[in-house]
Amino acid sequence: MKTYNVAVVGATGAVGNEMVKILEERKFPVKSLKLLASERSIGKSLEFMGTDLPVEVLDEKSFKGVEIALFSAGGSVSLKYAPIAASEGCVVIDNTSAFRMEPDVPLVVPEVNPHAIKDYKKRNIIANPNCSTIQMVVALKPLHDYAKIKRIVVSTYQSVSGTGKKAIFELEDQVRALLMNKKVEKKVYPHQIAFNCLPHIDVFLENGYTKEEMKMVNETKKIMEDDTIKVTATTVRVPVFYGHSESVNVEFERKITPEKARSLLRKAPGVKVVDNPSKNLYPLAINAAGKDEVFVGRIRKDDTVEYGLNMWIVADNVRKGAALNAVQIAEILIQKYL
Ligand code: A2P
């Protein structure tokens, strides 16, 4: 079997760390693995396949001989280093929003538009979508194919791990401080996140929406390859460590019952239906954490429109929302194209 020289950029971060774990778990054919981060990580190492690998400092020469690089070190790092890696012949799978909406960069969710990967050759870059968008489109694609989506109204309940390691520590520290009657420190978020909900993810734009909300609007259309789908979003950070939850209201062009939606979703790749309210069974962030599937439940009719459904969609944002989706893209890349 052919093996590949792989690099993970941002390997010490929440997503990068998970990428390393998932490469091992899924037995990705790795010839060599290069772990890249900033100077802050000099001296650190991570375990991969039973060996401790040193973390190296990212620089212009990091990508010599690397065939596939998974980037998750922030947009500015990707903007600077992804083109450098690509020019060395390395295929970049980028988890940031830096290139997602560029027309010559494929934006891929393997369960939805795996065929788009073929266009990687234009720039040698493939973009991994936003975490909240990924879990939503995995669940909605089979329903869209059946009844065609007209409009989506989504509100998210996003965990702090989506912001990165520092935010995980911030929630932990604030909870501890509050329970001990101490002063809360805020470094990552503009307000206390412990025991609170912040209707503010990423920066505010001129239209009054946040950038996170507009990512959901624009990325959904690009991944589903359908500009006619109307999307409106409210994205909220909640004091949960792992797992994003979403309340999703969908209006369709054609009839689709909750029963039909459940049966389509039971057959859909990467989806697990958890929908038995009489037994208090519905998707929960704490159950989705550490899992690969997108969980869907609370599927019910929206009687205010002709053909409408409401549902609750939950997934591990660090896995399916980021690291796993990137590794799945890499798997298709090597099976079909490299
Ligand atoms: P480091 O740990 O050395 O700071 P998270 O999203 O969990 O905050 O992680 C961000 C990841 O991106 C970390 O691995 C971090 O490395 C890395 N990173 C951030 N800035 C840079 C940079 N300028 N060069 C290389 N890696 C970076």
Side-chain angles (χ1 to χ4, degrees):
M1 190 203 242
K2 196 172 170 214
T3 53
Y4 298 84
N5 297 318
V6 179
V8 174
V9 181
T12 52
V15 171
N17 222 311
E18 200 69 21
M19 285 168 163
V20 174
K21 275 199 230 159
I22 292 176
L23 287 169
E24 176 167 338
E25 264 174 45
R26 294 174 72 95
K27 300 188 173 61
F28 193 86
V30 173
K31 191 193 291 173
S32 70
L33 182 64
K34 199 175 228 188
L35 305 177
L36 298 162
S38 78
E39 282 165 0
R40 292 179 290 269
S41 294
I42 290 175
K44 285 192 189 158
S45 62
L46 292 176
E47 200 189 306
F48 179 69
M49 307 290 282
T51 17
D52 274 338
L53 297 180
V55 177
E56 299 173 41
V57 177
L58 172 68
D59 67 26
E60 278 87 353
K61 297 191 202 80
S62 296
F63 300 98
K64 285 232 154 20
V66 175
E67 294 162 287
I68 300 168
L70 308 177
F71 272 65
S72 193
S76 56
V77 172
S78 289
L79 280 172
K80 176 165 178 199
Y81 290 97
I84 295 174
S87 72
E88 300 265 1
C90 167
V91 183
V92 170
I93 301 171
D94 182 34
N95 190 51
T96 76
S97 62
F99 302 100
R100 286 181 193 151
M101 293 313 296
E102 304 219 351
D104 51 0
V105 172
L107 181 66
V108 178
V109 178
E111 291 83 351
V112 179
N113 64 338
H115 51 270
I117 293 177
K118 69 175 186 314
D119 292 328
Y120 81 91
K121 291 193 182 104
K122 294 179 182 165
R123 299 270 296 269
N124 260 1
I125 301 174
I126 302 167
N128 206 42
N130 164 264
C131 44
S132 294
T133 311
I134 292 178
Q135 66 183 67
M136 186 171 81
V137 296
V138 167
L140 294 189
K141 175 69 162 81
L143 310 183
H144 181 55
D145 288 344
Y146 179 80
K148 197 165 187 326
I149 294 173
K150 263 199 200 163
R151 177 168 183 255
I152 301 168
V153 183
V154 53
S155 300
T156 69
Y157 304 67
Q158 298 182 221
S159 67
V160 296
S161 54
T163 314
K165 264 191 178 162
K166 286 193 193 98
I168 298 174
F169 296 133
E170 180 148 311
L171 174 59
E172 218 176 289
D173 291 345
Q174 288 186 355
V175 169
R176 200 173 289 121
L178 284 161
L179 293 180
M180 291 166 73
N181 248 337
K182 287 194 183 147
K183 202 171 161 266
V184 162
E185 275 189 59
K186 292 171 297 206
K187 290 187 209 131
V188 177
Y189 299 115
H191 303 282
Q192 176 187 316
I193 181 66
F195 310 109
N196 203 4
C197 298
L198 312 180
H200 174 185
I201 301 184
D202 209 329
V203 296
F204 281 101
L205 304 172
E206 271 186 8
N207 65 1
Y209 285 79
T210 62
K211 198 169 162 200
E212 185 82 353
E213 288 161 351
M214 294 315 294
K215 285 175 204 165
M216 292 196 79
V217 173
N218 297 321
E219 293 180 21
T220 299
K221 294 174 202 246
K222 180 164 174 179
I223 301 160
M224 301 273 243
E225 296 168 349
D226 189 340
D227 269 342
T228 66
I229 301 176
K230 291 181 187 159
V231 185
T232 187
T234 304
T235 57
V236 182
R237 190 72 68 191
V238 296
V240 167
F241 286 106
Y242 293 96
H244 288 357
S245 306
E246 300 176 342
S247 158
V248 184
N249 173 267
V250 194
E251 188 181 352
F252 297 90
E253 289 204 347
R254 296 186 282 273
K255 185 173 176 194
I256 178 167
T257 62
E259 296 71 36
K260 184 68 195 177
R262 269 181 224 113
S263 88
L264 289 168
L265 290 170
R266 279 196 194 101
K267 286 179 261 162
V271 176
K272 189 154 194 234
V273 176
V274 182
D275 200 7
N276 191 349
S278 67
K279 296 219 160 83
N280 295 341
L281 287 176
Y282 30 75
L284 294 175
I286 56 168
N287 295 338
K291 305 267 171 45
D292 288 349
E293 296 93 342
V294 171
F295 298 87
V296 190
R298 299 291 326 276
I299 301 169
R300 62 214 191 272
K301 203 162 171 275
D302 171 7
D303 285 323
T304 65
V305 291
E306 198 171 6
Y307 306 124
L309 292 176
N310 279 308
M311 63 195 81
W312 180 247
I313 303 174
V314 180
D316 184 326
N317 53 295
V318 175
R319 286 180 77 88
K320 184 57 192 165
L324 172 64
N325 199 73
V327 174
Q328 287 176 307
I329 293 172
E331 288 171 350
I332 299 175
L333 186 72
I334 61 168
Q335 278 158 18
K336 291 209 159 168
Y337 304 104
L338 284 191

